[in-house]
Amino acid sequence: MLHPLSTPKSLADRPEHSPSSPLSVHDMTVAYQRRPVLWDVDYDAPSQSLIAIVGPNGAGKSTLIKACLDLLPRASGRVEFFGKSYRESRHMIGYVPQRESVDWDFPVSALDVAAMGRYAKIGWFGRVSRRHKDAARECLARVGMADLAHRQISQLSGGQQQRVFLARALAQDATLYFMDEPLAGVDAATEATIIDVLRSLRSAGKTVIVVHHDLPTVPQYFDHVLLLNTRVIAAGPVSGPESVFTSENLRRTYGGRLTLLDQAAEAVARARGG
Amino acid sequence: MIPTLREFLAIDLAAIITACLCALACAIVGNFLVLRRQSLLGDSIAHSVLPGLAAAFLIVGSRGSVPMFVGALIAGVLSAILSEGLRRFARVEAGAAMGVIFSAMFALGVLLMSLPRMRSVDLDADCVLNGVLETVIWTADASRGTRVPAVWSDLLDPGVLAGAPSQLLTALVVCGVVIMVVLAVFKELTLASFDSALAGALGFRPWLLHTVLVVLAAAASVASFEVVGSILVIAMLICPAATARMCTSRLRTQIALSGVFAILSVLIGYLLAGFGPMLLGYHSLALSASGMIAVAAGALLTGAIIFSPSHGLLARRIRTLRLSVAIAREDLLAMLYRVEESGDARSLTLHHARLALGGGLTTKLAIRGAIRRDQATTTPGGLALTDSGRAAARALVRTHRLWETYLVKELGLRPDHVHRSAMELEHHTTSAMADTLASIVPSTTADPHGRPIPGDRPRGNPPE
């Protein structure tokens, strides 16, 4: 039993977290304007799997990813990757933000964007050498965008833009990937390409955590699911005897009824002047 | 009156070089402000120069250029920090936050300037606002052994160089620093401007890069305020970058072009201010050079919006016209084909063709284009297809009828609803797409209206 005031060296020392997990989230709370968006999230991601984060709008799916990557401040909680902090494991983590989060009129080519995935390897002040350009080009080829490498990004379709983002993540050559709605609003061909790439990543021993909107395709595309609505409703395999992808869990995730805890949260926010 | 070389070197040269260096520094930084949609940040920083200068004078007690520069720089960076703080904590949009901060900072500057201690200084709000490029001149000072250049080779003389105006030296240093910093962190600045989330995730500290950009913008503004004034400096930050943005979709090219446009604005503006009135016959009139430089920058932007070969209004109009002429020409060919097909012995008269195509310039160009391409000829009765025109027309009519069949059979539309859609689609269908269409609707030889679908190659004699 740990002393209440002692901080364990690593989450992996705690019995509820596994040291081999690519992502361990412990008791994470994130708040905007004092209103909790994520509350007491505990999660261990299984390695070598495709994981869907599923939940209604405003459930905190993107927030979970951003808070894990230190892009948003956490009110409390710890996040570890393979038992280490984000700062130490940054080079092992790839990130695909939502497509709408950037200005696609920006004067760069598809190849320029893909090459951005190599920047962490290049480091501060370094040049993008031919070797890195070739690596970026190879990643574009893996998503079927080799011919459009020199196209300015505003001249690409939505699906092609999403592929460029995926190529950029591939160029990061990570072990764990976070992707924020890579399948939102893409054409069928792009969806098939992206799923192929995700599967090849899994067979190469990597883990991919994807914010996903389309419930019917969850069992078809993913191994594990994290049902999220401010709190973790359930997390586990999508099929088999231990499946958590059940109608009961989905109802709890998407159910509009205010729980007692939600009412309490409202009251707290009001009392603090939020 | 054309100045002599001596006058030019002593009076104009320093002003032109200083203005060019300032404009170049502003333009390079401006590219990133424009791309981040933070153009107003430049305005905010430029307006904060006044309180910075006044405060620096009050603290140091002299009008030395180093304390003045540092004071203005700190005020500029402070205004950016305050705007960001206001945006975050007052929960207002970025534009509103900047508007509040820069007017407050400027008001503070005006207040400081009205203090009795400031009255004696030759630092008036007017010069800070509008710039006095005319005061940037070479000075001769016998005690320091400096002199004014008289011939070109004097510019290599240490004595002459030592007498260079302080504004020129400031501009040179700032421009050099801006170029070096942007070259050093070009990749990082680009990433943080395009996708600050990824920049953060990769460990490139977007806030640090943002601060670097703010400091560079502040340095460029402070160096420029004496040249073009703190109000017009916004034109130097934004216009060249916006002009370059109209001409290219490559960031490196854009930055290089913005530098060219910045220097062009200075040269055009300076020349027009000095000699413009004279050319118009007003010999005693001299215009503000700084004002004219900003006007020239604005004129270049206007020119680019209209005439840019890639993104300009004119180019876009021409592309649209070309497309509609091509479509009208294809419609004409298809119409001639249908007349031949109907077996009507009369040929299509020019008058009817014009009516059917809607008339106007587009129709005229379309008919002329069809004749020039040897696809149609004029006959005594009107217009007729040539052999090559008939082949093109057959392909078009085939595509049209394939589309009609597809829309009816595959999409279940009613036959009387599909003609207009097919008219649209036929102009944008490649031959590969037409073959795919033909494979989807095989074993069909007639369209939903019962008319034959021509084969993809001429078969037998053309219909007479």
Side-chain angles (χ1 to χ4, degrees):
Chain A
M1 189 67 193
L2 288 159
H3 187 271
L5 292 177
S6 75
T7 31
K9 259 210 167 93
S10 164
L11 287 180
D13 296 341
R14 289 173 177 269
E16 67 267 35
H17 293 289
S18 144
S20 63
S21 170
L23 168 71
S24 302
V25 180
H26 180 76
D27 192 19
M28 180 164 81
T29 296
V30 180
Y32 286 133
Q33 318 283 358
R34 296 193 205 88
R35 192 178 297 268
V37 183
L38 284 176
W39 202 340
D40 293 346
V41 171
D42 273 300
Y43 182 62
D44 261 33
S47 60
Q48 290 198 41
S49 46
L50 301 182
I51 302 160
I53 303 180
V54 167
N57 287 331
K61 304 185 292 289
S62 299
T63 306
L64 176 61
I65 291 185
K66 286 182 185 158
C68 286
L69 300 180
D70 288 357
L71 293 173
L72 284 176
R74 298 188 286 269
S76 71
R78 293 178 60 159
V79 177
E80 284 181 3
F81 304 88
F82 309 98
K84 291 188 187 128
S85 73
Y86 179 66
R87 206 174 271 263
E88 293 166 294
S89 37
R90 186 175 273 150
H91 60 284
M92 300 166 78
I93 298 162
Y95 175 41
V96 180
Q98 282 186 21
R99 183 155 55 86
E100 299 80 34
S101 67
V102 305
D103 171 16
W104 288 95
D105 267 337
F106 206 87
V108 286
S109 67
L111 182 61
D112 293 333
V113 174
M116 287 175 187
R118 308 291 297 177
Y119 282 12
K121 290 197 176 11
I122 301 169
W124 280 90
F125 311 115
R127 304 278 111 193
V128 184
S129 66
R130 176 164 296 277
R131 188 167 60 87
H132 292 297
K133 280 226 163 114
D134 288 345
R137 206 171 275 125
E138 220 166 88
C139 294
L140 280 176
R142 279 178 70 188
V143 297
M145 291 284 294
D147 297 339
L148 301 175
H150 295 287
R151 191 70 70 86
Q152 204 259 324
I153 53 171
S154 68
Q155 292 164 3
L156 300 173
S157 72
Q160 290 167 336
Q161 290 173 346
Q162 192 65 61
R163 290 180 197 211
V164 171
F165 257 19
L166 185 62
R168 186 176 71 173
L170 292 177
Q172 285 183 257
D173 195 17
T175 315
L176 169 66
Y177 286 95
F178 288 97
M179 302 188 182
D180 204 342
E181 302 203 26
L183 297 173
V186 302
D187 52 288
T190 299
E191 182 159 332
T193 309
I194 292 178
I195 291 302
D196 276 352
V197 171
L198 295 191
R199 287 183 177 146
S200 74
L201 285 172
R202 177 180 55 192
S203 26
K206 323 220 159 181
T207 300
V208 189
I209 300 177
V210 178
V211 173
H212 192 57
H213 250 141
D214 187 37
L215 288 178
T217 50
V218 167
Q220 186 190 342
Y221 291 161
F222 298 97
D223 314 318
H224 278 75
V225 67
L226 172 64
L227 295 163
L228 191 72
N229 191 349
T230 312
R231 289 171 299 281
V232 176
I233 305 295
V238 292
S239 56
E242 288 170 36
S243 168
V244 297
F245 197 63
T246 60
S247 50
E248 167 61 17
N249 280 338
L250 284 172
R251 197 186 55 72
R252 283 169 60 210
T253 309
Y254 286 85
R257 202 156 38 91
L258 276 184
T259 64
L260 192 60
L261 217 45
D262 290 317
Q263 290 171 25
E266 289 280 334
V268 170
R270 265 201 309 276
R272 289 189 191 158
Chain B
M1 188 179 59
I2 304 295
T4 62
L5 177 63
R6 207 186 166 81
E7 282 169 345
F8 175 78
L9 288 175
I11 298 168
D12 298 308
L13 184 67
I16 291 178
I17 294 177
T18 310
C20 281
L21 290 170
C22 289
L24 195 59
C26 285
I28 292 172
V29 179
N31 280 291
F32 291 97
L33 293 182
V34 167
L35 286 176
R36 291 165 159 247
R37 311 194 171 199
Q38 287 177 328
S39 309
L40 203 58
L41 187 64
D43 207 10
S44 174
I45 291 169
H47 275 81
S48 315
V49 164
L50 186 63
L53 293 175
F57 180 82
L58 284 175
I59 294 166
V60 183
S62 82
R63 201 181 180 283
S65 62
V66 173
M68 288 279 147
F69 186 86
V70 172
L73 191 67
I74 291 174
V77 175
L78 193 65
S79 86
I81 294 171
L82 287 177
S83 307
E84 177 61 20
L86 192 67
R87 186 188 68 79
R88 202 172 287 177
F89 297 113
R91 290 154 85 175
V92 292
E93 46 129 351
M98 286 180 207
V100 169
I101 293 297
F102 81 61
S103 41
M105 292 286 278
F106 192 72
L108 179 68
V110 172
L111 279 178
L112 288 176
M113 299 291 286
S114 66
L115 289 176
R117 278 182 64 193
M118 299 295 293
R119 292 269 160 78
S120 54
V121 197
D122 63 332
L123 181 75
D124 60 302
D126 206 41
C127 118
V128 176
L129 282 184
N130 304 322
V132 272
L133 190 50
E134 291 77 4
T135 63
V136 183
I137 49 169
W138 236 280
T139 47
D141 183 347
S143 63
R144 285 170 57 218
T146 62
R147 55 193 189 85
V148 170
V151 288
W152 284 108
S153 58
D154 278 354
L155 290 174
L156 299 172
D157 184 328
V160 170
L161 288 182
S166 66
Q167 298 99 323
L168 195 158
L169 298 178
T170 312
L172 189 65
V173 171
V174 167
C175 190
V177 168
V178 165
I179 291 175
M180 280 192 308
V181 171
V182 168
L183 279 180
V185 291
F186 178 78
K187 150 177 132 277
E188 292 81 2
L189 267 180
T190 310
L191 173 63
S193 305
F194 174 62
D195 190 346
S196 75
L198 185 75
L202 294 182
F204 284 110
R205 294 163 213 257
W207 61 267
L208 180 63
L209 289 161
H210 181 71
T211 310
V212 166
L213 196 61
V214 167
V215 171
L216 289 183
S221 309
V222 177
S224 308
F225 89 91
E226 271 189 282
V227 179
V228 291
S230 66
I231 291 196
L232 300 182
V233 74
I234 185 75
M236 299 319 300
L237 279 167
I238 305 310
C239 286
T243 311
R245 183 127 171 67
M246 290 302 299
C247 302
T248 177
S249 330
R250 290 272 178 272
L251 185 54
R252 280 188 182 78
T253 321
Q254 182 186 317
I255 294 175
L257 274 179
S258 72
V260 172
F261 288 128
I263 290 171
L264 262 182
S265 315
V266 169
L267 297 180
I268 294 173
Y270 195 87
L271 285 176
L272 279 183
F275 306 113
M278 205 166 65
L279 290 177
L280 295 173
Y282 299 99
H283 286 277
S284 56
L285 186 74
L287 293 174
S288 149
S290 40
M292 196 51 101
I293 289 173
V295 169
L300 281 177
L301 175 58
T302 313
I305 291 170
I306 299 171
F307 298 109
S308 159
S310 50
H311 301 69
L313 290 175
L314 205 62
R316 259 188 281 171
R317 277 306 291 269
I318 290 174
R319 273 199 294 273
T320 321
L321 181 67
R322 274 209 190 123
L323 182 67
S324 50
V325 168
I327 287 176
R329 183 169 48 78
E330 291 185 353
D331 284 343
L332 173 71
L333 296 181
M335 207 186 321
L336 289 169
Y337 185 88
R338 290 195 179 96
V339 170
E340 281 187 357
E341 189 185 45
S342 70
D344 195 327
R346 289 168 301 175
S347 55
L348 187 68
T349 65
L350 270 172
H351 177 66
H352 278 111
R354 282 199 195 113
L355 271 184
L357 293 173
L361 178 68
T362 315
T363 302
K364 213 173 269 177
L365 291 174
I367 294 174
R368 207 178 292 164
I371 293 170
R372 202 186 58 235
R373 279 156 208 260
D374 196 28
Q375 290 177 321
T377 54
T378 44
T379 60
L383 282 168
L385 286 171
T386 64
D387 284 343
S388 74
R390 191 170 294 110
R394 182 191 302 108
L396 274 164
V397 171
R398 169 180 144 81
T399 310
H400 177 91
R401 291 180 182 164
L402 282 172
W403 271 121
E404 286 190 334
T405 313
Y406 176 83
L407 291 173
V408 169
K409 288 205 169 169
E410 297 294 317
L411 300 189
L413 297 178
R414 279 170 47 188
D416 58 338
H417 282 39
V418 295
H419 179 72
R420 283 170 62 99
S421 306
M423 281 294 274
E424 275 292 319
L425 294 167
E426 69 187 39
H427 301 294
H428 307 284
T429 308
T430 60
S431 61
M433 278 163 76
D435 289 345
T436 314
L437 260 183
S439 68
I440 295 173
V441 284
S443 71
T444 320
T445 50
D447 71 6
H449 311 291
R451 284 184 297 252
I453 297 176
D456 54 351
R457 290 197 176 66
R459 226 178 310 127
N461 292 325
E464 284 299 329

